[in-house]
Amino acid sequence: MSGKVGFISLGCPKALVDSERILTQLRLEGYQVVPSYEEADVVVVNTCGFIDSAKQESLDAIGEAMAENGKVIVTGCMGGDEALIRAAHPDVLAVTGPQQYEQVVGAVHEYAPPSQQHDPYVDLVPPQGVKLTPRHYAYLKISEGCNHRCTFCIIPSLRGDLVSRPVGDVLDEAERLAKAGIQELLVISQDTSAYGVDLKYRTGFWQGRPVKTRFLDLCEALGELGVWVRLHYVYPYPHVDDVIPLMAAGKILPYLDIPFQHSHPEVLKAMKRPAHQEKTLERIKRWRAECPDLTLRSTFIVGFPGETDEHFEHLLDWLQEAQLDRVGCFKYEAVDGALANELPGAVPEEVKEERWQRFMEVQQAISAAHLERKVGRTLEVVIDSVDDEGAVGRSQGDAPEIDGHVFLDGEQRVQPGDRVQVLIDEANEYDLWGQLVM
C-alpha cells in the first residue's frame, strides 16, 4: 500500500516550482497525492513568509491541517523561522526552510514510510514531472536567491545569494516540458537577467553543443523549442536590450516583467534600487521602436517610508510617460527583518490608500487605451479553459494569474492548450473579447 500525502502550496510561482519538485520526487517513490485531509497519511504545507498577511495565511493553513489531520510537515520560506511556527503549532512533525527538498522528502519517509512494492516501470510519473499548473503551461525556475539587498525585501535572508542552475539542466527540463505538450514556459527566478553571474557565465552543454550560462544564450536556446517563452522578474540591466531582437523575430514572447518599484531617484536610493529611470524611459522607447508589440509589465510600491507628495507626483508623471501595459501596485507593508522598517518618514495608512487609489486610476486609463488599440486586430491566443459559457484564453501580452484574459463567448470548438487566432472586437481596462478565426 503506497503512502498518501496531502499537499498545500502557498506563495509565489517560485514556491510553486518547489512544490512541484517535491511532489515529483514523492510520486517517483510511489506516494499518492490525495486531495483531502481524511485520506492523507501526512500533510505537507509549503509556506510563504514574505509579508505579515502571507505569514498569517501560512499559520492558518498549518492550523487547519493540524486540526483536520494532525500529521503536518512544514516547509518553504516561513520554515526559516521554526520558533515562530512551533510557538503557534508546537506539534507539527518537522519544519524545513526553502529549497530543502531532500529534508522534506526525508520527513515524509519518516512519518509515512514509502511502499516497498513500488515499481517505477509500472507506476509511471509523466516525463515532465508532476505539474501543479494546467497541463499547457509551466514555470521554469532558472536560479535561486538574489544578490540585491533591497531595503523592503528579505528574500536574500530567506533564500540566500544568487545560485544559477546549470544551463544544460535548465534546457533539458524545458525540452522535456515542450515534448510533453507544454505550450508556454514562464521563466522565473528572483533576478532572471542576472542568470549565470555567479558562475561567471560558464559554458555548459545542451544537445551536444556549447551554451553559455547567460541570460541571452538561455533565451536564444529556449526560442528554439517552438513554445511561448515568457520572461518574469527581469532587472533592466543593459544586456536586456539584447533580447529585444529575439522578441521582434518571434523567438520568445514580446513580454518583459520588470519590477521597477518606483521612479523618483530619492525613493529608489532608499529602496537600494537602480536609480536611472530617465535612461529607462529612453530604453523603453527604443525597445518599442524595435519591437512594437512589446508588452511591459511591472510592479510598484506606494507609501514607502520617506515618500513625499512630490515623490508620488513624480511617479504618476513617470507612469504617464512610460505607458506600461500591465501594472501591479502595492501599499508599503513593513516586513519583519527588512531594513526599510528603520527608515524615517513612515507614511500614514490613509495616505497610502489614497495614493494607491490615484495610482490605479491612472494606470487603468493607460491600460484601457492600450487594449482598445487591439480591437480589430487578430491575435494569437492560448486557450486556458472551456465551459458551457465559452472559452477563456490569454494573448501573448497576458501572463497567467496576474494579467488579463481573452474571452470567446459561446466558443466550444477549442480545447485548453490550443493556440488559436482570435479577432478582437471588444476591450475594457484589463480584458479582451473576440471571435475565433478559422
Side-chain angles (χ1 to χ4, degrees):
M1 188 69 179
S2 299
K4 297 180 179 180
V5 180
F7 210 101
I8 300 168
S9 185
L10 305 171
C12 66
K14 292 175 283 296
L16 188 69
V17 173
D18 293 343
S19 296
E20 290 169 352
R21 288 187 183 179
I22 295 166
L23 285 171
T24 295
Q25 183 60 37
L26 292 173
R27 283 286 300 276
L28 284 167
E29 295 178 357
Y31 285 92
Q32 297 180 45
V33 181
V34 295
S36 69
Y37 293 118
E38 293 78 12
E39 297 175 76
D41 298 320
V42 67
V43 177
V44 178
V45 181
N46 190 3
T47 59
C48 179
F50 185 48
I51 58 177
D52 289 345
S53 56
K55 289 181 179 179
Q56 188 57 54
E57 181 184 15
S58 295
L59 289 173
D60 291 346
I62 296 166
E64 180 179 296
M66 288 295 296
E68 297 291 334
N69 181 278
K71 296 179 69 176
V72 178
I73 294 166
V74 178
T75 187
C77 283
M78 198 174 172
D81 191 349
E82 182 170 356
L84 177 62
I85 290 169
R86 290 200 178 276
H89 304 292
D91 296 327
V92 295
L93 299 177
V95 180
T96 69
Q99 296 115 49
Q100 294 183 346
Y101 314 119
E102 295 85 357
Q103 291 91 325
V104 177
V105 173
V108 174
H109 288 172
E110 181 177 353
Y111 296 104
S115 166
Q116 299 305 307
Q117 285 82 44
H118 174 57
D119 184 347
Y121 297 101
V122 177
D123 301 324
L124 294 179
V125 172
Q128 78 275 20
V130 178
K131 306 310 297 177
L132 302 183
T133 48
R135 148 175 331 186
H136 59 280
Y137 67 82
Y139 293 100
L140 182 68
K141 185 192 280 189
I142 64 173
S143 65
E144 300 282 3
C146 183
N147 290 340
H148 292 281
R149 294 296 183 266
C150 302
T151 56
F152 55 81
C153 182
I154 58 171
I155 290 296
S157 66
L158 293 175
R159 292 182 171 260
D161 288 338
L162 177 75
V163 179
S164 299
R165 292 179 61 196
V167 68
D169 290 357
V170 174
L171 291 172
D172 284 345
E173 181 182 347
E175 187 176 25
R176 287 195 304 272
L177 289 164
K179 287 180 177 177
I182 290 292
Q183 293 298 313
E184 179 178 9
L185 292 171
L186 299 107
V187 179
I188 59 167
S189 68
Q190 301 298 340
D191 184 359
T192 294
S193 41
Y195 178 66
V197 168
D198 56 309
L199 299 177
K200 297 182 170 57
Y201 308 118
R202 178 188 307 157
T203 298
F205 289 88
W206 178 57
Q207 296 182 340
R209 74 178 203 253
V211 182
K212 283 191 177 294
T213 309
R214 189 168 59 183
F215 178 60
L216 176 62
D217 301 65
L218 176 66
C219 291
E220 288 175 337
L222 291 172
E224 299 175 15
L225 296 176
V227 300
W228 283 8
V229 177
R230 190 181 301 278
L231 302 177
H232 285 287
Y233 316 124
V234 178
Y235 277 70
Y237 305 126
H239 65 261
V240 172
D241 295 356
D242 299 334
V243 305
I244 304 301
L246 296 178
M247 296 178 176
K251 300 293 186 182
I252 61 177
L253 290 186
Y255 182 101
L256 275 177
D257 180 352
I258 299 178
F260 289 120
Q261 307 298 9
H262 212 279
S263 67
H264 199 284
E266 292 174 5
V267 179
L268 290 167
K269 183 178 180 180
M271 290 178 169
K272 291 194 175 178
R273 301 284 292 181
H276 303 293
Q277 297 294 34
E278 295 80 6
K279 293 181 180 178
T280 300
L281 289 172
E282 295 172 10
R283 291 174 72 199
I284 288 172
K285 290 177 182 177
R286 290 201 307 273
W287 293 344
R288 286 190 165 133
E290 192 168 356
C291 183
D293 283 334
L294 177 65
T295 294
L296 289 174
R297 141 164 278 284
S298 190
T299 51
F300 293 85
I301 297 172
V302 296
F304 190 78
E307 183 189 57
T308 65
D309 289 341
E310 178 188 357
H311 294 153
F312 179 68
E313 294 298 335
H314 184 281
L315 175 58
L316 293 185
D317 291 343
W318 189 92
L319 201 62
Q320 291 281 18
E321 181 76 16
Q323 289 286 303
L324 304 178
D325 302 271
R326 299 294 197 186
V327 170
C329 182
F330 301 92
K331 291 169 279 191
Y332 174 76
E333 180 178 328
V335 177
D336 284 346
L339 294 175
N341 299 343
E342 310 303 321
L343 293 174
V347 177
E349 291 300 321
E350 61 271 18
V351 176
K352 292 181 192 177
E353 176 66 24
E354 186 265 341
R355 288 177 182 172
W356 182 84
Q357 294 283 358
R358 289 182 60 199
F359 181 101
M360 293 308 298
E361 287 172 8
V362 169
Q363 181 54 38
Q364 283 172 355
I366 293 170
S367 177
H370 282 218
L371 292 180
E372 184 62 32
R373 290 198 289 270
K374 296 182 186 293
V375 173
R377 292 184 57 189
T378 298
L379 304 179
E380 185 176 26
V381 170
V382 64
I383 301 300
D384 283 335
S385 63
V386 184
D387 59 22
D388 292 343
E389 296 182 3
V392 182
R394 291 174 291 106
S395 74
Q396 294 188 352
D398 299 306
E401 307 294 336
I402 56 174
D403 293 330
H405 299 93
V406 180
F407 294 97
L408 288 79
D409 292 343
E411 182 58 65
Q412 303 287 327
R413 295 170 292 175
V414 292
Q415 297 293 325
D418 287 351
R419 282 158 58 184
V420 297
Q421 298 295 312
V422 175
L423 175 63
I424 304 301
D425 53 28
E426 188 179 342
N428 67 11
E429 295 94 334
Y430 300 112
D431 301 312
L432 299 167
W433 284 259
Q435 308 295 324
L436 190 65
V437 176
M438 299 300 289

